[in-house]
Amino acid sequence: MKHLIVYAHPKEDSFNHAILETTIKTLEAKGDSVVVRDLYALRFDPVLSANDMKEISSGNIPQDIATEQSYITDADVITVIYPIWWTSMPAILKGYFDRIFTYGFAYKYGQDGNIEGLLSGKKALLFSTHGAPNAYYDSVGMTEAFKNTSDVGIFGFVGAEVKEHVFFGEVPSVDDEKRKEMLQSVKNTLEKI
């Protein structure tokens, strides 16, 4: 199976990076191929510019967008690893979706005006970290809001099937033993996919 990992955290010593490393090792141990797109390391430009929009609408896809789209086209599974900051994904990741999931590539409008997801057949898996307890985010509706935004509003919109969205809360304040349990959860989730 071909996996594309879209990773969005600026620090190499972060827990998100430990999730990334665990994901790579687990998938490669299964014999799957893995491509990692580390958005910060790539210095990915998240700003959808007027020029981008003009070029895309005229069929002249900017090269950096075309490159990322080719990775998505080639992947069976898209795994996204990111922290939740201010109740959202990092701007660089939001900008990735803005620029890469373009009309005509990721979706289009059908003859009846309905949206047609062009990434159907793709699977998605998301790992998100945050500082608040999961129980708190669950109780105030934030967990469902996150799922509606990313799982339904992004991946569902383009026709991809979200297999799982795993949330790890209290990451900055838990001990190493708890973080090891979280990484085991990552491994278990990947082995089920």
Side-chain angles (χ1 to χ4, degrees), residues 84-89 137 142 145-146 149:
I84 294 171
W85 293 336
W86 289 106
T87 67
S88 188
M89 61 185 68
Y137 272 169
M142 290 307 298
F146 296 139
T149 299

Side-chain angles (χ1 to χ4, degrees), residues 89-109:
M89 61 185 68
I92 199 167
L93 181 57
K94 174 61 168 69
Y96 178 89
F97 294 121
D98 288 347
R99 293 190 71 218
I100 307 308
F101 280 20
T102 60
Y103 182 82
F105 170 74
Y107 71 98
K108 69 177 182 177
Y109 296 107

Side-chain angles (χ1 to χ4, degrees), residues 7-192:
Y7 174 72
H9 197 291
K11 292 176 62 181
E12 287 191 20
D13 63 347
S14 69
F15 184 67
N16 279 262
H17 202 270
I19 293 172
L20 173 65
E21 291 174 349
T22 299
T23 301
I24 293 168
K25 288 177 187 170
T26 303
L27 294 174
E28 288 179 344
K30 290 172 53 176
D32 293 348
S33 68
V34 178
V35 171
V36 177
R37 303 304 287 164
D38 180 338
L39 301 183
Y40 284 96
L42 292 167
R43 296 179 185 256
F44 180 78
D45 181 359
V47 179
L48 178 62
S49 68
N51 188 62
D52 285 342
M53 295 175 86
K54 178 183 170 190
E55 292 297 310
I56 291 165
S57 67
S58 68
N60 299 316
I61 308 298
Q63 186 56 54
D64 63 332
I65 295 173
T67 296
E68 298 306 316
Q69 289 178 343
S70 70
Y71 287 117
I72 290 169
T73 297
D74 197 43
D76 299 309
V77 181
I78 303 164
T79 299
V80 187
I81 302 168
Y82 66 96
I84 294 171
W85 293 336
W86 289 106
T87 67
S88 188
M89 61 185 68
I92 199 167
L93 181 57
K94 174 61 168 69
Y96 178 89
F97 294 121
D98 288 347
R99 293 190 71 218
I100 307 308
F101 280 20
T102 60
Y103 182 82
F105 170 74
Y107 71 98
K108 69 177 182 177
Y109 296 107
Q111 290 181 343
D112 58 2
N114 289 333
I115 296 160
E116 295 180 18
L118 301 178
L119 299 183
S120 59
K122 306 274 182 210
K123 309 274 188 264
L125 177 62
L126 298 92
F127 293 108
S128 302
T129 63
H130 52 84
N134 281 344
Y136 170 73
Y137 272 169
D138 291 349
S139 71
V140 298
M142 290 307 298
T143 303
E144 281 307 308
F146 296 139
K147 288 181 179 180
N148 282 329
T149 299
S150 55
D151 303 11
V152 178
I154 296 174
F155 284 103
F157 189 87
V158 300
E161 177 191 358
V162 175
K163 297 301 285 182
E164 195 145 357
H165 190 158
V166 181
F167 295 89
F168 297 110
E170 300 179 274
V171 170
S173 58
V174 297
D175 61 21
D176 285 343
E177 191 58 39
K178 182 66 177 171
R179 287 189 192 98
K180 286 178 185 173
E181 290 173 17
M182 292 175 177
L183 293 176
Q184 184 61 48
S185 176
V186 169
K187 187 174 179 181
N188 294 344
T189 301
L190 292 165
E191 288 174 348
K192 286 190 310 186

